[in-house]
């Protein structure tokens, strides 16, 4: 039987998720057509990817790199655009079946909204988009018949556990966390940690921003909020479990008390593939997990006294409105500052908390309110650095 090819746009194709998505596509060339590739600065990799995958359109967001990219790709009949707005326009193309959002941070919001409004399904890696505007995104998905397939490994796990359970209420979910490089450390140990130490994640190789978020537990906080919107849960139905081997990717507990979990090696290619091939499970050559390589799986509570970000995220979720947007914007500013040696590891939470206290609360934000909140929070967070 001939398989109908899926036409894919990969936003952020030069990043950690983007490049792994292309590896997934390499496994199944008979299933996918790459329509769009995008990068922010990395023109050389974008050019190399485009020569290999021959997308119809590429976007290099940074306008200064436009000519360099266009000079090579126009001869191949590939259209090249630059600027942030181009990201929003290219996702509307009728040829595209699914948009993989692998941009980092708030930059994913507008392109994701546009893709949803044009009825595209989304393979969502860019969790910040749901953190910032989860209510708006989920409403638009219903309105435009778009679906979101999670790429984040924990959410993919939950999504997989829920297949075939449409009519069975969920009691709670267990969101697993590796604990990052500083698991077991106390506040006094973290006073002077360097970015090099924070970037040294024990189980996953990822982009810099999410790696710092993992070290500070903000990543898990963002994922709690992401889970609320993806699976329509209340904050007290989401429990974080530190599981340092990253084998159980998350679990669902149903109302009869039964728990279903999804397991596998820590490799993002698996959740990326599932998001792209759902509802099918497609054979691949990825390395297999063996129980005998992992005789001990461990579970512990998160240390929220040391890693304050997790509680800040829960607090923002309980408050609702624009508060998660404040949390996210402040976090983006402090993570960038930490990566530029402008703030200490523990002080990041203080700035975020301060922003959550000072920015004007909006209970039912519109898109314009989110945009305004994001801008105001960034200004305040920079002042507080
Ligand atoms: P990377 O930093 O590795 O890659 C980000 C990609 O987005 C790159 O292609 C980059 O281009 C592009 N980009 C960055 N900023 C902008 C911008 N302002 N405008 C346009 N393009 C931009 O990130 P990751 O792949 O690690 O993460 C992507 C998303 O996936 C994040 O939201 C993250 O939380 C999520 N995620 C990642 C996981 C992982 O294992 N990496 C796991 C689960 C979720 P360029 O290369 O030119 O800079
Ligand atoms: Mg994750």
């Amino acid at each position: 039987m001939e398989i109908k090819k899926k036409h894919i746009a990969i936003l952020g194709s030069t990043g950690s998720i983007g490049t792994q998505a292309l590896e997934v596509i390499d496994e199944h060339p008979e299933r996918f057509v790459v329509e769009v590739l995008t990068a922010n600065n990395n023109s050389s990799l974008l050019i190399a990817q485009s020569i290999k995958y021959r997308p119809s359109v590429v976007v290099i967001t940074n306008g200064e790199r436009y000519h360099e990219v266009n000079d090579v790709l126009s001869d191949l009949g590939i259209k090249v655009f630059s600027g942030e707005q181009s990201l929003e326009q290219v996702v509307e193309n009728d040829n595209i079946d699914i948009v993989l959002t692998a941009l980092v941070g708030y930059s994913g919001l507008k392109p994701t909204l546009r893709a949803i409004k044009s009825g595209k399904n989304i393979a969502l890696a860019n969790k910040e988009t749901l953190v910032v505007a989860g209510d708006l995104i989920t409403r638009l998905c219903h309105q435009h018949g778009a679906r979101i397939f999670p790429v984040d490994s924990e959410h993919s796990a939950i999504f997989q556990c829920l297949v075939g359970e449409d009519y069975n209420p969920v009691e709670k979910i267990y969101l697993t966390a590796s604990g990052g490089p500083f698991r077991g450390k106390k506040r006094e140990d973290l006073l002077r940690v360097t970015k090099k130490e924070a970037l040294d994640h024990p189980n996953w190789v990822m982009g810099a921003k999410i790696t710092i978020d993992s070290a500070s537990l903000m990543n898990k906080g963002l994922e709690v909020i992401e889970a609320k919107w993806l699976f329509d849960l209340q904050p007290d139905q989401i429990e974080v479990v530190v599981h340092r081997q990253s084998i159980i990717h998350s679990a669902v507990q149903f109302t009869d008390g039964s728990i279903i979990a999804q397991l596998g090696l820590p490799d993002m290619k698996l959740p990326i593939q599932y998001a792209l091939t759902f509802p099918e499970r497609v054979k691949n050559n990825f390395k297999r997990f063996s129980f005998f390589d992992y005789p001990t799986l461990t579970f512990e509570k998160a240390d929220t006294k040391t890693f304050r970000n997790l509680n800040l995220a829960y607090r923002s979720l309980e408050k609702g409105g624009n508060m998660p947007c404040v949390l996210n914007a402040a976090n983006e500013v402090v993570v960038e500052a930490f990566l530029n040696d402008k703030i200490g590891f523990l002080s990041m939470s203080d700035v975020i908390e301060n922003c959550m206290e000072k920015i004007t609360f909006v209970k039912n934000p519109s898109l314009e309110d989110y945009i305004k909140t994001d801008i105001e929070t960034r200004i305040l967070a920079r002042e507080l650095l």
Side-chain angles (χ1 to χ4, degrees):
M1 193 186 72
E2 199 175 329
I3 305 161
K4 187 178 175 301
K5 288 191 173 182
K6 270 191 194 162
H7 292 241
I8 301 187
I10 303 179
L11 306 186
S13 62
T14 50
S16 158
I17 292 290
T19 51
Q20 292 181 85
L22 289 170
E23 287 176 38
V24 169
I25 289 171
D26 288 341
E27 281 276 311
H28 312 288
E30 72 293 356
R31 287 179 173 265
F32 300 109
V33 177
V34 177
E35 286 288 343
V36 177
L37 295 174
T38 85
N40 192 27
N41 287 309
N42 193 343
S43 44
S44 53
L45 183 54
L46 182 64
I47 290 170
Q49 291 178 339
S50 303
I51 291 171
K52 177 169 177 193
Y53 295 97
R54 299 298 170 106
S56 44
V57 175
V58 306
V59 178
I60 179 87
T61 317
N62 180 349
E64 290 174 16
R65 303 275 159 94
Y66 171 79
H67 290 293
E68 183 190 341
V69 177
N70 190 51
D71 285 352
V72 182
L73 299 186
S74 64
D75 286 348
L76 304 175
I78 298 171
K79 289 198 197 99
V80 181
F81 299 101
S82 68
E84 274 173 32
Q85 289 199 336
S86 303
L87 283 179
E88 294 177 51
Q89 283 153 10
V90 296
V91 295
E92 291 184 324
N93 191 321
D94 286 343
N95 284 341
I96 298 167
D97 299 309
I98 187 161
V99 178
L100 171 64
T101 62
L103 299 165
V104 66
Y106 181 86
S107 67
L109 178 65
K110 286 183 186 171
T112 308
L113 286 172
R114 275 289 265 280
I116 293 170
K117 282 183 185 164
S118 41
K120 310 294 184 210
N121 287 334
I122 308 288
L124 184 120
N126 177 238
K127 64 191 90 185
E128 294 92 340
T129 286
L130 271 187
V131 171
V132 169
D135 63 335
L136 183 64
I137 301 265
T138 42
R139 247 186 296 130
L140 286 172
C141 279
H142 284 133
Q143 227 172 309
H144 297 275
R147 290 194 67 178
I148 296 183
F149 302 111
V151 167
D152 216 348
S153 56
E154 296 78 359
H155 304 74
S156 173
I158 293 160
F159 185 73
Q160 294 181 53
C161 296
L162 290 172
V163 170
E165 302 283 357
D166 286 1
Y167 299 100
N168 291 322
V170 169
E171 196 162 88
K172 66 192 290 190
I173 64 167
Y174 296 95
L175 211 56
T176 52
S178 70
F182 302 143
R183 190 189 55 84
K185 298 258 190 271
K186 295 290 166 210
R187 289 186 72 77
E188 54 276 19
D189 306 320
L190 296 176
L191 281 171
R192 266 170 291 278
V193 289
T194 61
K195 69 179 175 203
K196 186 166 177 289
E197 292 167 287
L199 285 169
D200 187 18
H201 196 284
N203 302 354
W204 301 96
V205 180
M206 309 178 283
K209 194 258 178 184
I210 183 176
T211 308
I212 301 302
D213 285 347
S214 299
S216 71
L217 279 201
M218 181 54 94
N219 182 50
K220 212 45 56 180
L222 301 178
E223 291 185 355
V224 167
I225 302 172
E226 181 185 14
K228 184 235 150 51
W229 294 112
L230 284 173
F231 307 113
D232 193 17
L233 300 166
Q234 294 306 311
D236 63 1
Q237 289 178 288
I238 307 169
E239 184 165 342
V240 171
V241 179
V242 175
H243 162 50
R244 69 188 167 91
Q245 297 79 18
S246 298
I247 294 299
I248 297 182
H249 295 305
S250 277
V252 177
Q253 180 172 315
F254 293 91
T255 42
D256 61 355
S258 191
I259 296 177
I260 300 185
Q262 186 259 341
L263 283 70
L265 290 171
D267 179 353
M268 287 307 295
K269 290 203 294 295
L270 192 53
I272 292 169
Q273 176 177 306
Y274 193 66
L276 296 179
T277 63
F278 178 85
E280 274 182 87
R281 288 190 180 276
V282 180
K283 187 166 172 54
N284 57 36
N285 294 314
F286 306 158
K287 191 165 175 241
R288 267 43 180 170
F289 165 76
S290 162
F291 280 97
F292 308 111
D293 291 339
Y294 291 84
T296 312
L297 296 180
T298 58
F299 308 96
E300 53 197 288
K301 274 199 175 351
D303 172 3
T304 51
K305 279 213 176 72
T306 305
F307 301 94
R308 295 176 56 229
N309 284 348
L310 185 57
N311 279 352
L312 292 175
Y314 269 105
R315 220 199 282 169
S316 79
L317 186 56
E318 272 149 20
K319 182 91 182 173
N322 63 339
M323 204 47 81
C325 175
V326 174
L327 175 97
N328 179 69
N331 183 57
E332 287 190 24
V333 170
V334 293
V335 169
E336 196 190 338
F338 179 73
L339 287 169
N340 289 315
D341 303 314
K342 291 204 176 110
I343 189 172
F345 187 78
L346 292 174
S347 308
M348 290 196 286
S349 310
D350 301 333
V351 172
I352 296 166
E353 184 173 38
N354 224 318
C355 288
M356 287 171 64
E357 281 159 9
K358 292 200 173 117
I359 293 290
T360 311
F361 179 61
V362 184
K363 194 164 169 30
N364 293 306
S366 63
L367 177 59
E368 288 65 38
D369 293 320
Y370 286 126
I371 294 169
K372 192 161 166 260
T373 299
D374 180 75
I375 293 170
E376 284 177 0
T377 306
R378 281 167 198 269
I379 292 169
L380 177 62
R382 287 197 188 101
E383 279 167 19
L384 293 169
L385 283 177

